[in-house]
Amino acid sequence: MTVIILIAAPDGLRGHLTRWMVEASAGVFVGNPSRRIRDRLWELLATRIGDGQAILIEPATNEQGWAVRTAGRDRWQPVDFDGLILSARPKKPLNENSRPAR
């Protein structure tokens, strides 16, 4: 099974995904596309997401049984820790009024 989540996506991307997947909730798509279709969908999403965010969760042969891809702005980054995929929060720049944590 494949899950795609779109956040603040440009017009047309959600409609394009409904050709291959079911929109279970607003911006959440679920389906079983072939690897070829999934890779082509991801290429399209990654190039057209703009200031939005796209997350793809797909089957994989690892300990968790899945892998994740992300594209867009201000996204959490998947990080591999000895075969375990964790998400790293993006660092926010410090401004003049904020102080670093102690």
Side-chain angles (χ1 to χ4, degrees):
M1 179 185 304
T2 300
V3 177
I4 296 176
I5 302 166
L6 297 180
I7 301 166
D11 294 337
L13 281 183
R14 287 172 60 180
H16 185 77
L17 280 177
T18 58
R19 296 177 188 170
W20 304 101
M21 305 176 85
V22 174
E23 190 169 11
S25 184
V28 179
F29 298 85
V30 180
N32 276 322
S34 68
R35 179 179 205 128
R36 186 176 134 240
I37 297 296
R38 185 172 58 235
D39 288 343
R40 288 194 178 186
L41 285 172
W42 184 250
E43 287 175 24
L44 174 80
L45 289 174
T47 58
R48 293 191 184 173
I49 196 63
D51 287 337
Q53 297 176 31
I55 303 158
L56 180 139
I57 301 167
E58 61 189 333
T61 55
N62 60 18
E63 291 292 323
Q64 290 172 299
W66 54 273
V68 63
R69 302 184 209 183
T70 62
R73 241 180 107 186
D74 297 329
R75 64 186 192 270
W76 288 55
Q77 295 287 335
V79 180
D80 185 337
F81 285 100
D82 293 329
L84 182 65
I85 300 170
L86 302 175
S87 293
R89 186 183 313 206
K91 291 184 180 181
K92 300 215 182 231
L94 293 177
N95 61 29
E96 298 165 5
N97 298 328
S98 64
R99 295 187 306 182
R102 295 180 189 237

